[in-house]
Amino acid sequence: MRLSRYFLPILRETPKEAEIISHRLALRAGLIRQESAGIYAWLPFGLRVLNKICGIIREEQNRSGAIELLMPTIQSADLWRESGRYDAYGKEMLRITDRHEREMLFGPTNEEMITEIFRGYVRSYKSLPLNLYHLQWKFRDEIRPRFGTMRSREFLMKDAYSFDIDQAGARHAYNRMFVAYLRTFERMGLKAIPMRADTGPIGGDLSHEFIILASTGESGVFCHKDYLDFAVPGPDTNFDSREDLAKIVDKWTSLYAATEEMHDEAAFNGVPEASRVSARGIEVGHIFYFGTKYSEPMRAVVTGPDGKDVPVHMGSYGIGPSRLVPAIIEASHDEAGIIWPDAIAPFDVAILNLKPGDSATDRVSGELEAALEARGLSCLIDDTDERPGGKFATADLIGLPWQIIVGPKGLADGKVELKRRATGERVTLSPADAVERIAS
């Protein structure tokens, strides 16, 4: 892709409304544009990141045994009245009426709808366990949306819902998602710590938030520092083994870790002082077990082994991809701009043609692009008329993992310059060797 033909509106000045670094950089690097309070358009560059994040989420959900579907954004108020949440949810819910005066709502979450789908088809315990998930835009009318897509009114959510015959099965489903979340965030370059959390309007008595530590986090968090060194389970994890998953979850819940709402000062003081971490945190995922909270009032029952009907045990599991974008920027940036982790970078390589129109620099830039794309890597060629200093600044701002600088002076010696964005390391290589270094 050539930058001269791409839509990447770079801002040189920091917008006044941006309070935190991720919001500033997302606006300056052309990822998003605010359309109204708490509502953003995702521009091409930002959408590529969002799609990479969703791809990782899908892979790990599928690996854990969850099955994807897609539910509508607009829901009937009647479903929420069945569960008893319609009046209890509060002003965050956007309530609407259609032309036939039917009461509807723009879904803030989907426990009711997935329960309605489940009860329409599943009759026997033999169809369990079941976990259904989707990626869908949601709306919560935040009283004070802020920090860009970190806390917006319209947001993209991956929400999964598990159904089991009993509490033991539901706990295994919870453990599946717990481990899948550890893997998901690790693949995005994040160290997420599961912390005991309040269940809020979702309900239930078991809940963990997955928190990354950041100075701009929304709330205080408290944990044992050893969590920062825990190894995340590998891709060979056996998600069917209750024993294996229970051991992993037991390890990741063995030390103190709690959000501000669940913090126990006395228990935290029992942690050796040198091992106490008191910081700010950003929530990137939240999982819940809530038993029969929805299945009982909505009559979602299955026939058990004894022939009797029983309400299913349920859990829900959320990740916010549109929230993860700023969270990752908060965790990975420097004074020059964003530093994208390789797995979610919008492009893998920035090729900086320092003299567009020059036959040699044009040719080598094109050859580099073709060679890298043949190796499965994506490239953005800066072929604009911007001066070299401006190109360097743009490349650092948008944060692609690799930069190849192609200039007449270097090519006179058959060389290009290769820069690793994360470390700043620079080496001079032949174009072929640059390709090998990146692709290896």
Side-chain angles (χ1 to χ4, degrees):
M1 176 61 68
R2 279 155 172 72
L3 186 55
S4 62
R5 303 174 194 167
Y6 195 62
F7 184 61
L8 182 60
I10 297 294
L11 301 180
R12 297 302 177 191
E13 302 297 326
T14 300
K16 294 180 180 179
E17 71 270 20
E19 299 178 58
I20 61 174
I21 191 65
S22 59
H23 193 190
R24 295 175 202 142
L25 291 176
L27 291 170
R28 287 192 55 215
L31 274 68
I32 58 173
R33 175 180 173 81
Q34 183 171 328
E35 297 301 326
S36 60
I39 298 176
Y40 289 82
W42 286 84
L43 305 181
F45 211 64
L47 183 59
R48 289 180 74 98
V49 177
L50 202 57
N51 287 340
K52 289 279 192 78
I53 288 172
C54 290
I56 291 174
I57 291 171
R58 280 191 170 96
E59 288 174 7
E60 294 303 328
Q61 289 292 288
N62 296 344
R63 188 194 305 274
S64 75
I67 302 167
E68 186 173 8
L69 79 169
L70 181 61
M71 290 177 273
T73 57
I74 303 299
Q75 304 182 29
S76 168
D78 291 342
L79 285 176
W80 286 66
R81 289 197 173 97
E82 274 194 68
S83 71
R85 280 207 302 175
Y86 185 70
D87 294 319
Y89 202 87
K91 293 184 177 180
E92 285 187 353
M93 182 188 290
L94 182 62
R95 294 164 168 84
I96 55 180
T97 305
D98 70 11
R99 66 172 65 193
H100 300 292
E101 301 301 318
R102 289 181 292 232
E103 292 179 287
M104 314 290 284
L105 57 98
F106 195 130
T109 184
N110 280 71
E111 282 80 8
E112 284 80 4
M113 183 167 284
I114 197 67
T115 304
E116 188 270 339
I117 291 172
F118 175 89
R119 74 184 181 189
Y121 297 103
V122 181
R123 298 284 185 264
S124 169
Y125 77 97
K126 294 180 181 179
S127 298
L128 303 179
L130 183 64
N131 189 319
L132 301 172
Y133 80 95
H134 71 160
L135 285 119
Q136 178 211 57
W137 290 94
K138 301 189 186 301
F139 188 93
R140 294 176 189 168
D141 199 2
E142 295 278 356
I143 190 171
R144 191 187 174 196
R146 57 195 306 223
F147 302 154
T149 61
M150 185 80 76
R151 180 169 288 279
S152 54
R153 294 195 295 163
E154 185 180 68
F155 55 94
L156 184 60
M157 176 67 70
K158 186 288 302 183
D159 38 324
Y161 303 90
S162 62
F163 302 86
D164 288 272
I165 186 65
D166 55 23
Q167 186 175 8
R171 183 56 194 257
H172 179 52
Y174 189 92
N175 290 349
R176 281 174 180 259
M177 288 291 102
F178 190 107
V179 175
Y181 275 35
L182 291 175
R183 286 192 40 74
T184 298
F185 299 127
E186 192 269 342
R187 288 185 59 189
M188 297 177 192
L190 298 173
K191 173 61 75 171
I193 303 170
M195 300 191 179
R196 290 190 307 114
D198 183 33
T199 58
I202 301 296
D205 56 7
L206 177 61
S207 176
H208 284 88
E209 287 183 12
F210 288 75
I211 302 289
I212 62 169
L213 305 183
S215 60
T216 52
E218 298 172 289
S219 61
V221 295
F222 308 85
C223 69
H224 196 294
K225 75 171 186 178
D226 285 1
Y227 278 118
L228 300 173
D229 298 319
F230 276 12
V232 170
D236 59 345
T237 299
N238 184 359
F239 281 92
D240 291 325
S241 171
R242 294 193 179 196
E243 182 181 0
D244 289 354
L245 293 190
K247 286 180 179 178
I248 295 170
V249 174
D250 287 346
K251 176 183 177 180
W252 280 86
T253 56
S254 62
L255 302 175
Y256 188 89
T259 59
E260 208 164 35
E261 297 83 359
M262 302 294 286
H263 180 52
D264 182 335
E265 189 68 25
F268 187 59
N269 288 337
V271 176
E273 188 172 357
S275 296
R276 293 178 207 158
V277 174
S278 176
R280 307 294 293 178
I282 298 172
E283 176 195 341
V284 290
H286 203 160
I287 61 176
F288 305 82
Y289 163 65
F290 40 70
T292 58
K293 173 181 170 64
Y294 298 93
S295 58
E296 283 192 350
M298 296 186 69
R299 301 177 301 284
V301 300
V302 295
T303 302
D306 59 0
K308 296 180 180 179
D309 286 347
V310 293
V312 291
H313 287 247
M314 295 174 58
S316 70
Y317 317 90
I319 294 177
S322 55
R323 182 182 178 84
L324 271 166
V325 175
I328 290 167
I329 295 173
E330 289 290 333
S332 186
H333 70 272
D334 60 18
E335 66 281 353
I338 301 167
I339 304 173
W340 290 116
D342 289 16
I344 61 161
F347 294 90
D348 299 302
V349 185
I351 300 172
L352 281 57
N353 183 345
L354 300 188
K355 194 175 181 181
D358 178 83
S359 60
T361 59
D362 287 352
R363 175 180 55 80
V364 172
S365 295
E367 290 173 349
L368 285 165
E369 179 185 32
L372 288 163
E373 291 190 347
R375 305 288 286 269
L377 299 165
S378 57
C379 302
L380 181 65
I381 300 179
D382 189 342
D383 61 341
T384 66
D385 293 329
E386 183 78 49
R387 293 183 177 182
K391 293 190 177 192
F392 298 148
T394 295
D396 283 346
L397 172 64
I398 65 176
L400 304 186
W402 295 96
Q403 298 173 20
I404 304 178
I405 296 92
V406 183
K409 290 183 180 179
L411 289 183
D413 295 325
K415 304 291 185 182
V416 295
E417 187 175 22
L418 179 64
K419 177 182 175 180
R420 181 65 164 159
R421 176 68 179 92
T423 64
E425 177 191 5
R426 295 171 178 266
V427 292
T428 301
L429 301 166
S430 69
D433 287 344
V435 170
E436 288 301 319
R437 177 72 69 88
I438 294 170
S440 62

